[in-house]
Amino acid sequence: MDLEREGGRGANQLRPIDCSRNVLSRAHGSASCSHGETRVLAAVYGPKAGTKKNENPEKACIEVIWKPKSGQIGKPEKEFQMILKRTLQNICLLNVHPNTTTSIIVQVVHDDGSLLPCAIHAACAALIDAGIPLKYLAVSISCCLTESGKILLDPNKLEEQKMKAFVCLAFPSSVHSVLTEGSINGIITSLTHGVMAGYTFLTLILDEYFQCVEQGRAAITPLSNILKKKLQSQSAE
Amino acid sequence: MAATSGVHDLSSEMEVDAFRRLFPLRFHERHLLESIRPDGGLLEKLETQPLCLTMLAAIKMEVMTPTVEAPEEGCIGLNKCLSGMIDLKELCLVGGKAAWMVYLDIYCLDADGALFDAALLSAVAAFSHCKFATVQIPVVSLNDDGRIVLVSEDNGGAKKEKEPVNKDKRKLKLNSVPFSLTCILHKDYILADPTSEEESIMETYLTVVLDSSFQLVSFNKPGGPGLANTSAIQKPTDLVTAELDSGDCVTLTRQRVKELQKILNETISDMEVD
């Protein structure tokens, strides 16, 4: 069954991505990222002296504030904050500036699906703009599963609501990282929503989930090249 | 390396407890090398009941007017993991006017790591209990003003023109019950069902939620300093020998699901006897 997507996109086709740095003059680093209609603005302030109360003073502390497009900060925003914070903890070199706090403020400008990947890209670009040392870039993608088991990458809001299940993944971007640890093939973050098929007698593997991971990973390389090009072209100015 | 040998010398002089507090990561790593855990349990052995972790779950039901989008459905004020378990249409009383709203309160009495697992288990247990208990969805009827009123047995003398809306005390039907397992990833090791001490030191954790038919309800790894390889999540199995390697998170979760199901069923049937 050939699924018709809005705008005639293929199942593996991503929406046009745009990323620009240094959009705010007062912040230490800032970036704006858009995936199709979804737009997110991120600003970085830091490193500032001192960590928060319960945090480990031997490492840098990362604080994320997530501002929704409208309304007050509620539970979904707090969840996003926690996920983004832990994802950024993975990519930042936390031992370089111990006992400091870096604040990242994320403002949702428009949400048309794939909000978390867009926010991760914006936050990474803002961290680059601020000059915070990173191990590697995080590249993120979301995919959804239709009832028939087909996988669609980068869904928009309407598609997200109609789907059986939804996965958001973040991977480390390139092989050239500062720390040459064993495998840079892992998954930084993975979130699922909705029920996916599990074990059948033929395949004892979580088929659908791993298919999403494979397709996501395949789409990551061109995506990370695009992002790097956008970020590089600005710094050359 | 000089540094670690220095620590080893020190450790032979120091008491175990002191070493545990001063160098927590090294303390745990030395245990990992021997494939055991500080409390003597095996790395991958799952505690059938969380050791020092107790939770209390209570379910309250209240009548409310359903939302405009879903006039035939009731509401469960929480988690996405549970929404697959209960058919919301069961909670409907009068289409478009009234439905049950279920409040689930979970109190943590004693916390020692893996809070999400325990909370989910206690919520599931509470809903299962809801199914067998004698006090089930109470019988109510529609009042003159259009409000829902509880029908009690003492109303024998009153006029019984209004038919109760749900005559029989129904049981709450559960579809597929979710069970979860939290694992910590540290370098090449997987620790299942961590205590809070282990959680505070090794910060990368992931939670797998499978339901009773082994479908994946949720796979949650919210970042954290370590990366998860797909082999840590699930090793491909050799279908010829049909041997399942126990060293991956999903297989551990499967075992956990079986154990928990057994325990839950036993407990519920014990309670039914009372």
Side-chain angles (χ1 to χ4, degrees), chain B:
Chain B
M1 290 190 293
T4 42
S5 62
V7 171
H8 284 205
D9 290 339
L10 213 56
S11 69
S12 56
E13 296 161 7
M14 233 193 256
E15 277 187 332
V16 178
D17 270 341
F19 186 51
R20 186 179 194 151
R21 281 187 208 279
L22 289 177
F23 306 107
L25 196 56
R26 289 207 191 97
F27 176 77
H28 281 93
E29 279 183 354
R30 284 184 69 183
H31 281 85
L32 288 176
L33 284 175
E34 312 283 334
S35 290
I36 54 168
R37 295 169 93 157
D39 54 9
L42 294 173
L43 263 191
E44 284 144 11
K45 173 174 173 277
L46 305 172
E47 309 293 338
T48 45
Q49 291 126 15
L51 264 186
C52 307
L53 178 49
T54 340
M55 288 231 178
L56 182 65
I59 294 190
K60 292 184 280 223
M61 298 176 93
E62 179 185 82
V63 185
M64 63 151 203
T65 45
T67 55
V68 182
E69 302 109 49
E72 293 293 318
E73 294 185 358
C75 177
I76 301 182
L78 79 119
N79 214 341
K80 34 191 178 171
C81 282
L82 290 182
S83 55
M85 188 169 79
I86 298 184
D87 187 5
L88 293 176
K89 294 195 168 37
E90 291 248 333
L91 299 173
C92 176
L93 280 173
V94 177
K97 294 229 189 96
W100 289 109
M101 167 110 155
V102 179
Y103 290 102
L104 176 65
D105 296 318
I106 301 183
Y107 303 94
C108 179
L109 302 173
D110 199 359
D112 190 25
L115 286 177
F116 177 79
D117 294 347
L120 187 62
L121 182 61
S122 57
V124 159
F127 274 110
S128 309
H129 188 228
C130 221
K131 169 174 147 193
F132 288 100
T134 49
V135 180
Q136 293 151 0
I137 306 178
V139 181
V140 295
S141 74
L142 205 53
N143 210 351
D144 290 333
D145 327 330
R147 287 192 6 219
I148 299 282
V149 146
L150 197 62
V151 170
S152 59
E153 278 75 45
D154 325 327
N155 263 345
K159 287 173 276 185
K160 287 232 185 111
E161 297 142 2
K162 303 282 175 220
E163 276 298 312
V165 172
N166 51 345
K167 262 197 154 155
D168 47 340
K169 288 188 182 174
R170 284 178 302 164
K171 303 174 186 177
L172 206 54
K173 225 180 3 175
L174 298 181
N175 293 335
S176 46
V177 182
F179 296 101
S180 74
L181 178 67
T182 304
C183 304
I184 285 193
L185 303 175
H186 181 67
K187 295 187 189 167
D188 292 326
Y189 301 105
I190 301 177
L191 273 112
D193 200 14
T195 63
S196 55
E197 186 186 352
E198 290 164 353
E199 267 184 0
S200 60
I201 307 173
M202 298 175 259
E203 289 180 347
T204 313
Y205 65 87
L206 58 86
T207 306
V208 183
V209 183
L210 293 178
D211 69 11
S212 40
S213 45
F214 297 124
Q215 289 188 316
L216 182 71
V217 174
S218 158
F219 178 85
N220 195 2
K221 176 186 188 289
L227 295 176
N229 293 316
T230 41
S231 60
I233 305 174
Q234 176 153 24
K235 295 213 178 94
T237 56
D238 191 348
L239 287 177
V240 173
T241 57
E243 248 177 56
L244 286 177
D245 198 338
S246 67
D248 62 45
C249 298
V250 176
T251 319
L252 291 173
T253 315
R254 264 185 79 189
Q255 288 172 4
R256 171 73 126 180
V257 169
K258 289 183 195 157
E259 287 171 9
L260 289 181
Q261 260 184 329
K262 217 171 48 155
I263 295 178
L264 196 62
N265 290 335
E266 283 171 5
T267 323
I268 298 287
S269 54
D270 284 344
M271 288 172 80
E272 194 184 345
V273 168
D274 298 339

Side-chain angles (χ1 to χ4, degrees), chain A residues 86 90 187-188 190 192 196 199, chain B residues 203 216 219 221-222 224 228 250:
Chain A
R86 294 183 60 93
N90 186 312
I187 300 175
I188 301 178
S190 157
T192 68
M196 287 191 263
Y199 294 86
Chain B
E203 289 180 347
L216 182 71
F219 178 85
K221 176 186 188 289
V250 176

Side-chain angles (χ1 to χ4, degrees), chain A residues 12 23 28 68 79 83 90 198 237:
Chain A
N12 282 351
V23 291
H28 294 154
E79 194 185 342
I83 295 167
N90 186 312
E237 289 161 21

